[in-house]
Amino acid sequence: MSQNTMNLKLKIWRQKGASTPGKMVDYTLNGVNPEMSFLEMMDVLNQQLIEAGEEPVAFDHDCREGICGMCSMFINGRAHGPMTGTTTCQLHMRHFKDGDTITIEPWRSAAFPVIKDLSVDRSSFDRIIQAGGYVSVNTGAAPDANAIPIPKEDADSAFDAATCIGCGACVATCKNASAMLFVSAKVSQLALLPQGAPERQERALRMVEQMDKEGFGNCTNTGACEVECPKGISIENIARMNREFLRASLVKKKKKAGMAAS
Amino acid sequence: MAQNASYGLLKSSIGKKVFMALTGLFLCLFLVGHLAGNLQLFIPGEAGQIQFNKYAEFMTTNPAVKILSYVTYFSILFHVFDGLALTLKNRKARPQRYHYKKDSANSIWSSRNMGVLGTVILVFIVLHMSNFWFKMHFGDIGVDAEGRKDLYTVVAASFEQLWYVAIYAISMVAIGFHLWHGFASGFQSLGVNHSAYNPIIQGFGKVFSVVVPLGFAIIPIYMYLT
């Protein structure tokens, strides 16, 4: 298959380690195949750097099929690049033009410190999940289908929320580096189902408290997160979390113990 | 693990937003009342002067209005300080900024500039209150034919100056943009988001954010021209 290849100018954030200051560095990359994914383009750049005896660019990636949430990168001013509803690994070079200059930066958030270059530490998300993003009871083996009746609409809404891959694009794009879309998706996916309902108040309180502790910003309802979310998670979930949290704050009786399993 | 017990609503990110929404939406109601009162300035001649001064006296002496006015002062101050606290936390949440960020791709301008718009509005409120509210309460202003404090003449004299009319008109544009995002945003913060009601809330919010500031702005322009 013969293709017109592309020559690109790249501006990439380089940072040796968490405590060293970084800077934008310019690179030229020639002969890029338009059918490559963005990450494959980065692989080609790194090969070029290695052959020249330079340090390759560190970036996060894993499944490369758009479902794991590992790949990040703020490309040309947008989380996961110019296309909506996609992760960086599913972004292809055909969406760029020959001669383009592409700016590539890591997610920027106090709660996502840079580990190296484009790679950031998103364990703050894990700690939010640990705070309450689970169901405490042992559910045993898989029950028969429809043993617990769940309305179709609720099941669909819960599933829509559950498609969140925890990539952090919502935080990266939010002007306030707020994690509300992520946390609200995790609160919603359980609050909507009978298995998650008994702990919904405790869960909302704990997860929001942890979110605030991690240093994420507040939601100003700009709606940028739902536009940039590769899974199209709706800010309807944020409204649901606001309701859950508000109700729990107002009516929840204080108790000494945490959620059952903790 | 009694970690939630001490975690008050007002300390939380969502709690702060809820209070932002409650005070903001209350202030929307205040705007409607204020505008309704201002419309009396359209009454021509001495009848208008007498009517407006009668209204001004009622607004400064009626006990129910007094209670409402304290709620309004409180709402404005709370909205300002709560907004400031939220903005400072938001700044801290992204210490290292992006070299290039294309915000216009995913959000509207007013939603990203509520703090700037709010600051313009606050400066306007201070100016506005020092000119009319302060003079009505503490200033040495004359009386009209029926012996009431003549606020009407103070207002009419102010709006004979072009720069004053311009400041008012520009401030109303800021309020319009603030409401363009703020009205519907308040409902979202309170958790009111439902596919059946969203179009009504958003549509009403947009109409509100145009009609109310326009109504306020037309009065000084009308008084300047007549």
Side-chain angles (χ1 to χ4, degrees):
Chain A
M1 190 167 71
S2 69
Q3 283 283 356
N4 294 326
T5 59
M6 307 157 74
N7 298 336
L8 300 170
K9 286 192 173 60
L10 305 170
K11 286 176 178 294
I12 303 178
W13 180 261
R14 299 304 307 264
Q15 184 175 342
K16 279 203 168 67
S19 52
T20 46
K23 61 174 193 296
M24 300 299 287
V25 178
D26 293 353
Y27 296 96
T28 305
L29 188 63
N30 296 330
V32 174
N33 184 326
E35 304 308 327
M36 282 177 183
S37 78
F38 201 86
L39 296 186
E40 284 165 337
M41 182 277 291
M42 292 297 292
D43 293 337
V44 172
L45 172 73
N46 277 346
Q47 194 59 37
Q48 179 179 304
L49 289 175
I50 290 164
E51 282 167 12
E54 291 174 49
E55 183 80 6
V57 181
F59 62 91
D60 287 320
H61 60 102
D62 193 5
C63 74
R64 298 205 177 200
E65 53 187 14
I67 55 168
C68 79
M70 247 342 249
C71 58
S72 43
M73 294 196 201
F74 210 71
I75 301 161
N76 280 350
R78 296 183 68 182
H80 296 299
M83 309 300 286
T84 52
T86 127
T87 53
T88 302
C89 63
Q90 296 301 303
L91 172 67
H92 291 85
M93 297 314 294
R94 56 178 170 269
H95 298 297
F96 296 89
K97 290 196 300 288
D98 184 38
D100 272 1
T101 300
I102 305 175
T103 310
I104 311 169
E105 296 177 75
W107 285 173
R108 294 291 187 198
S109 160
F112 288 166
V114 172
I115 299 168
K116 189 179 181 183
D117 298 333
L118 303 173
S119 181
V120 298
D121 179 0
R122 283 170 278 186
S123 57
S124 48
F125 270 13
D126 298 337
R127 288 187 292 274
I128 293 172
I129 298 294
Q130 282 161 12
Y134 52 84
V135 172
S136 306
V137 291
N138 187 347
T139 51
D144 290 341
N146 299 327
I148 305 170
I150 300 168
K152 167 82 170 128
E153 276 189 16
D154 290 356
D156 286 350
S157 297
F159 188 82
D160 287 347
T163 57
C164 168
I165 54 178
C167 65
C170 46
V171 175
T173 196
C174 175
K175 73 180 267 285
N176 310 319
S178 169
M180 294 275 276
L181 192 67
F182 166 78
V183 182
S184 69
K186 301 302 178 187
V187 165
S188 292
Q189 67 182 11
L190 296 171
L192 286 162
L193 297 177
Q195 294 91 335
E199 292 169 305
R200 60 197 291 180
Q201 295 190 351
E202 190 74 17
R203 177 179 304 113
L205 290 173
R206 285 169 152 265
M207 291 182 80
V208 170
E209 183 182 354
Q210 190 63 37
M211 171 181 84
D212 291 350
K213 262 193 205 156
E214 296 290 347
F216 291 105
N218 306 283
C219 179
T220 15
N221 304 326
T222 68
C225 53
E226 76 175 354
V227 175
E228 300 296 353
C229 175
K231 299 296 159 185
I233 308 278
S234 165
I235 58 169
E236 200 185 326
N237 291 296
I238 297 181
R240 183 180 294 105
M241 176 167 73
N242 291 346
R243 290 198 296 275
E244 293 286 322
F245 180 80
L246 195 55
R247 178 167 51 203
S249 300
L250 296 176
V251 304
K252 174 111 179 54
K253 289 191 182 120
K254 286 175 189 174
K255 65 171 186 178
K256 286 280 191 288
M259 280 170 69
S262 53
Chain B
M1 282 209 285
Q3 63 198 62
N4 300 319
S6 63
Y7 196 64
L9 185 61
L10 197 53
K11 277 197 213 151
S12 70
S13 54
I14 295 177
K16 285 198 190 80
K17 289 297 301 181
V18 165
F19 284 104
M20 210 61 194
L22 290 174
T23 49
L25 290 172
F26 174 77
L27 290 171
C28 286
L29 284 176
F30 158 74
L31 286 180
V32 174
H34 192 340
L35 178 60
N38 285 11
L39 291 177
Q40 293 168 97
L41 288 166
F42 280 121
I43 303 169
E46 206 183 336
Q49 182 188 9
I50 297 291
Q51 174 59 35
F52 187 75
N53 288 341
K54 214 186 261 181
Y55 169 70
E57 188 184 72
F58 169 77
M59 291 303 282
T60 46
T61 51
N62 183 284
V65 175
K66 204 139 228 167
I67 292 165
L68 266 181
S69 70
Y70 285 124
V71 178
T72 307
Y73 304 147
F74 172 80
S75 293
I76 292 171
L77 289 173
F78 201 98
H79 201 76
V80 167
F81 287 107
D82 199 23
L84 190 65
L86 286 163
T87 305
L88 292 176
K89 172 94 197 285
N90 293 342
R91 287 270 170 88
K92 254 175 70 182
R94 179 166 292 139
Q96 169 91 50
R97 311 198 77 77
Y98 289 102
H99 280 255
Y100 176 47
K101 193 167 187 293
K102 201 176 169 186
D103 286 321
S104 59
N106 51 41
S107 54
I108 59 169
W109 181 85
S110 62
S111 75
R112 302 191 303 270
N113 291 280
M114 292 299 276
V116 176
L117 292 165
T119 307
V120 172
I121 296 165
L122 180 63
V123 170
F124 166 75
I125 290 173
V126 171
L127 182 81
H128 176 55
M129 286 184 78
S130 62
N131 199 44
F132 298 145
W133 179 88
F134 185 83
K135 281 185 186 161
M136 182 66 192
H137 283 83
F138 309 109
D140 188 22
I141 57 176
V143 292
D144 63 15
E146 293 188 4
R148 290 193 188 87
K149 278 191 173 183
D150 192 8
L151 186 65
Y152 180 88
T153 304
V154 177
V155 173
S158 296
F159 293 147
E160 272 168 22
Q161 302 165 71
L162 185 61
W163 67 274
Y164 216 87
V165 175
I167 285 177
Y168 267 66
I170 291 164
S171 302
M172 289 313 112
V173 173
I175 289 185
F177 276 107
H178 199 74
L179 291 170
W180 187 263
H181 173 68
F183 188 92
S185 175
F187 284 89
Q188 165 80 2
S189 291
L190 293 172
V192 181
N193 181 321
H194 189 286
S195 55
Y197 303 109
N198 288 351
I200 300 168
I201 293 168
Q202 279 156 14
F204 185 81
K206 303 242 146 113
V207 171
F208 188 89
S209 67
V210 173
V211 169
V212 172
L214 197 65
F216 276 111
I218 281 174
I219 293 162
I221 294 169
Y222 168 82
M223 291 183 84
Y224 177 76
L225 294 176
T226 53

